[in-house]
Amino acid sequence: TNALPAAGAPSLSAPFFVDRKLGDAMRGTLEEAVRRLSDSRCQEVLADFTDARGRTLEANLRAIGQTLPTYLGFVLFYDGSTTEPCESERVLAWTSPGSRAVHVCWSQFSYWQRANFGYTATIVIHETLHTLGLGEGPPTSGAITAKVIERCGA
């Protein structure tokens, strides 16, 4: 069916800030992440985690007056290929808790984008949680990704 989006629904063609070195290659993954984040079941992931001060990520997002899907437009995606964390084959992207800058390890990320497109959308959501203040250790990176998959799909 060709249903019209609900009032206030995020546009899947919303502007994203993506480093020109990454070009338009990330657009599909970001649009899939927005689609998932638009689902109320996926948004429940915000209540699953807290920042270092014990506030839920949901409270942090509310404090800046954004919805989860539109917040993705405030996250900055940079080419992190030359950064130390990207030297590990297992790292697809990274950020620091509370920073809006996500560094994409393009070699690994693009491989997974071709091999398992949905997984890269999961990684974008995972990193978005970090931008809202979520740290790691605990929870582990794997536990965060597993919770995103549980709430938002694979």
Side-chain angles (χ1 to χ4, degrees):
T1 66
N2 290 331
L4 294 173
S11 164
L12 293 183
S13 60
F16 299 109
F17 179 87
V18 179
D19 187 327
R20 69 175 167 215
K21 290 179 184 175
L22 301 175
D24 287 332
M26 281 197 59
R27 177 162 290 283
T29 294
L30 293 171
E31 289 176 348
E32 175 61 14
V34 167
R35 187 190 68 73
R36 291 181 186 188
L37 292 170
S38 298
D39 186 313
S40 61
R41 291 168 299 191
C42 182
Q43 293 173 23
E44 291 174 9
V45 76
L46 292 175
D48 292 327
F49 297 110
T50 59
D51 65 14
R53 294 187 193 132
R55 290 181 303 212
T56 65
L57 303 184
E58 186 175 39
N60 291 347
L61 183 64
R62 227 181 4 257
I64 58 174
Q66 293 297 319
T67 65
L68 192 50
T70 58
Y71 175 73
L72 195 57
F74 291 87
V75 178
L76 314 170
F77 294 91
Y78 292 102
D79 177 15
S81 298
T82 61
T83 63
E84 186 177 334
C86 290
E87 292 175 10
S88 169
E89 291 179 0
R90 299 186 65 208
V91 176
L92 274 61
W94 67 273
T95 190
S96 299
S99 170
R100 289 188 310 137
V102 172
H103 306 273
V104 178
C105 306
W106 188 245
S107 176
Q108 298 91 297
F109 194 93
S110 63
Y111 168 82
W112 281 101
Q113 202 174 36
R114 291 185 305 273
N116 184 345
F117 180 76
Y119 182 65
T120 55
T122 296
I123 296 303
V124 164
I125 295 169
H126 173 132
E127 295 304 324
T128 299
L129 297 177
H130 288 309
T131 70
L132 289 167
L134 177 61
E136 277 184 9
T140 65
S141 179
I144 296 166
T145 298
K147 185 56 80 171
V148 171
I149 290 170
E150 176 188 325
R151 296 281 192 198
C152 305

